[in-house]
């Protein structure tokens, strides 16, 4: 499977959720998800992709410093707009550009570990990260929207 196919499959799964939930379901806290909402998990996943796309100019990606937009977790329409935009941008961005991944394992100081990476590798990370959140969304859907039959393979890494 190519990276493009994996991204398309993932985005299709996110789109399915967005198109099959009501706004109320999207924003309902789930006991199974420790009080988080399906909308929060979708926002979080989309923001990681956005952070990667936005890193191409600087050559530095830092997921901890990504832009956060809480409106995405409140509005299915905004989430769909962001998903559709990301779908176009990711397709146009597949490349081997080198990146520096900055990350911190400490909340005590701002010191960052810097690791050599590239766009494709980070895209693979984003796919895996989003699949993890889809698996959590699947658990939340059982509680919040049990009437929605999820497609086979939803939230599972192939």
């Amino acid at each position: 499977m190519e990276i493009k196919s994996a991204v398309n499959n993932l985005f299709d799964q996110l789109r399915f959720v967005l198109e099959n939930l009501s706004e109320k379901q999207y924003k309902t806290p789930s006991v199974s998800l420790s009080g988080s909402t399906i909308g929060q998990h979708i926002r979080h996943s989309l923001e990681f992709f956005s952070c990667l796309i936005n890193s191409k100019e600087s050559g530095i990606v830092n997921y901890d410093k990504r832009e956060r937009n809480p409106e995405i977790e409140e509005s299915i329409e905004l989430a769909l707009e962001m998903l559709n935009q990301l779908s176009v941008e990711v397709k146009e961005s597949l490349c081997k550009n080198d990146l520096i991944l900055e990350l911190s394992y400490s909340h005590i100081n701002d010191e960052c570990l810097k690791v050599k990476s590239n766009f494709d590798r980070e895209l693979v990370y984003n796919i895996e990260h989003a699949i993890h959140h889809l698996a959590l969304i699947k658990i939340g859907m059982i509680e919040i929207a049990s009437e929605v039959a999820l497609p086979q393979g939803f939230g599972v890494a192939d």
Side-chain angles (χ1 to χ4, degrees):
M1 175 181 276
E2 291 183 8
I3 295 175
K4 281 184 186 181
S5 298
V7 171
N8 288 337
N9 182 41
L10 173 73
F11 284 177
D12 286 346
Q13 290 182 57
L14 288 167
R15 193 172 286 108
F16 179 88
V17 171
L18 292 167
E19 291 174 348
N20 285 281
L21 287 180
S22 69
E23 288 283 338
K24 182 180 179 190
Q25 291 168 322
Y26 185 69
K27 299 187 288 189
T28 298
S30 167
V31 173
S32 303
L33 300 177
S34 300
S36 65
T37 67
I38 290 171
Q40 288 171 322
H41 284 276
I42 288 179
R43 174 197 51 82
H44 179 80
S45 298
L46 294 177
E47 287 176 349
F48 269 56
F49 281 98
S50 182
C51 181
L52 176 59
I53 294 294
N54 293 335
S55 74
K56 284 185 65 179
E57 281 188 39
S58 69
I60 298 170
V61 63
N62 185 325
Y63 298 110
D64 294 331
K65 293 181 181 177
R66 71 189 180 280
E67 289 183 38
R68 291 168 171 84
N69 183 354
E71 293 176 8
I72 300 297
E73 66 192 50
E74 296 290 323
S75 169
I76 290 174
E77 182 180 344
L78 287 176
L80 275 169
E81 284 176 21
M82 184 175 188
L83 177 61
N84 291 333
Q85 182 63 36
L86 284 170
S87 183
V88 169
E89 290 175 352
V90 168
K91 284 177 189 172
E92 293 173 355
S93 296
L94 292 176
C95 62
K96 302 286 185 213
N97 287 4
D98 288 337
L99 294 172
I100 298 294
L101 172 64
E102 288 185 343
L103 58 153
S104 175
Y105 290 112
S106 172
H107 297 290
I108 297 169
N109 60 43
D110 291 335
E111 227 176 281
C112 286
L113 176 64
K114 296 181 183 195
V115 178
K116 290 181 184 180
S117 190
N118 64 54
F119 185 86
D120 287 354
R121 173 62 191 103
E122 292 306 312
L123 189 55
V124 168
Y125 165 74
N126 274 259
I127 293 166
E128 295 297 320
H129 176 255
I131 289 170
H132 159 76
H133 282 278
L134 283 171
L136 292 169
I137 288 168
K138 186 179 195 177
I139 293 166
M141 294 279 288
I142 293 167
E143 178 185 337
I144 292 169
S146 60
E147 73 281 1
V148 176
L150 294 171
Q152 187 169 348
F154 184 90
V156 176
D158 289 332

